[in-house]
């Protein structure tokens, strides 16, 4: 798989893992194992773990925790394509001057606001107990002055290719914008929403994909916005 323009991401399968090449990286950017680890940790939720054998080796492009300006090449043993995108996203986030983070805002039709935390936990535990899965919504707010029109097609294509469980991608308020006036539209136009259906894979079913794939959404956004 290969995508990106100013920053390019190329992922190839190798024996027991993937090889990742990230091009267009600036020289002199500080990046540490902790930076990668914080994003990779977001792939976990109750009942969802990752392969304990995962091992990430940097073959070139980072020396003494600073980028050299060369393409960054990783060998990611027991990692997968989505995890490689997370690594690329961590690098991309170092190039943008604002914080970018997507979050699950709805799980199984329940808002993830603090007051509903207990209900969300019950819904997840029910899915774990029945080996089932529920849908959810991931949302990301971007700076008001960004023009998203240039990346809507590319972002949507990458997300759908990476995750077949994505059932809808909305910019602004999506179909609700048909009822918005110009002022209301301006206030919400830089919101991105990705709707996930249930995880349909038999065995090892993830209780709610939105809870572990929000990091994929902001990783892809970071890459295409460069």
């Amino acid at each position: 798989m290969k995508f990106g323009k100013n920053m390019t991401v190329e992922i190839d399968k190798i024996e027991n893992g993937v090889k990742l090449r990230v091009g267009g990286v600036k020289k002199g950017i500080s990046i540490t194992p902790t930076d990668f680890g914080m994003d990779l940790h977001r792939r976990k939720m109750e009942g969802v773990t990752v392969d304990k054998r995962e091992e990430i080796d940097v073959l070139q492009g980072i020396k003494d925790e600073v980028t050299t300006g060369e393409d960054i090449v990783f060998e990611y043993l027991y990692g997968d394509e989505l995890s490689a995108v997370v690594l690329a996203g961590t690098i991309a986030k170092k190039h943008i001057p604002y914080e970018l983070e997507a979050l699950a805002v709805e799980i199984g039709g329940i808002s993830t606001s603090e007051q509903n935390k207990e209900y969300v936990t019950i819904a997840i535990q029910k899915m774990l107990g029945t080996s089932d899965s529920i849908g959810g919504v991931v949302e990301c707010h971007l700076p008001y002055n960004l023009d998203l029109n240039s990346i809507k097609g590319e972002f949507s294509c990458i997300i759908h290719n990476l995750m077949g469980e994505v059932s809808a991608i909305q910019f602004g308020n999506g179909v609700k914008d048909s009822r918005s006036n110009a002022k209301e539209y301006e206030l919400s136009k830089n919101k991105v929403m990705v709707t996930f259906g249930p995880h349909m894979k038999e065995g090892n079913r993830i209780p709610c994909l939105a809870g572990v794939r929000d990091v994929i959404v902001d990783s892809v956004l970071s890459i295409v916005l460069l």
Side-chain angles (χ1 to χ4, degrees), residues 100-114:
L100 193 158
E101 183 177 16
L103 295 170
V105 295
E106 185 179 299
I107 288 179
I110 306 168
S111 166
T112 58
S113 59
E114 185 63 29

Side-chain angles (χ1 to χ4, degrees), residues 126-190:
K126 182 179 179 180
M127 294 301 102
L128 290 170
T130 57
S131 298
D132 206 348
S133 179
I134 47 178
V137 178
V138 170
E139 186 174 288
C140 186
H141 290 265
L142 297 167
Y144 176 78
N145 60 347
L146 285 182
D147 179 13
L148 296 188
N149 289 325
S150 61
I151 61 98
K152 287 179 179 179
E154 184 184 10
F155 172 76
S156 301
C157 182
I158 295 168
I159 288 292
H160 280 298
N161 284 335
L162 282 171
M163 300 178 289
E165 302 89 353
V166 170
S167 56
I169 297 173
Q170 299 179 95
F171 297 90
N173 288 318
V175 295
K176 292 182 181 179
D177 280 336
S178 64
R179 301 191 294 271
S180 299
N181 59 36
K183 185 176 181 180
E184 291 167 338
Y185 174 75
E186 280 291 323
L187 291 173
S188 63
K189 67 177 182 178
N190 277 16

Side-chain angles (χ1 to χ4, degrees), residues 10 15 17 29 34 44 88 110 121 136 158 164 188-189 212 223:
E10 188 172 356
E15 186 177 359
I29 293 177
T34 300
K44 304 176 184 179
I110 306 168
T121 299
I158 295 168
S188 63
K189 67 177 182 178
V212 294
I223 294 163

Side-chain angles (χ1 to χ4, degrees), residues 69-86:
E70 302 173 281
D71 289 359
I72 300 177
V73 180
F74 299 90
E75 189 174 79
Y76 195 165
L77 299 179
Y78 299 100
D80 57 18
E81 192 173 60
L82 292 178
S83 298
V85 170
V86 173

Side-chain angles (χ1 to χ4, degrees), residues 12-19 55 75-79:
D12 296 304
K13 291 183 179 180
I14 60 173
E15 186 177 359
N16 296 328
V18 293
K19 187 174 183 178
E55 180 180 325
E75 189 174 79
Y76 195 165
L77 299 179
Y78 299 100

Side-chain angles (χ1 to χ4, degrees), residues 205-217:
R205 186 167 278 170
I206 296 173
C208 183
L209 288 169
V212 294
R213 300 277 173 88
D214 50 359
V215 66
I216 306 297
V217 173

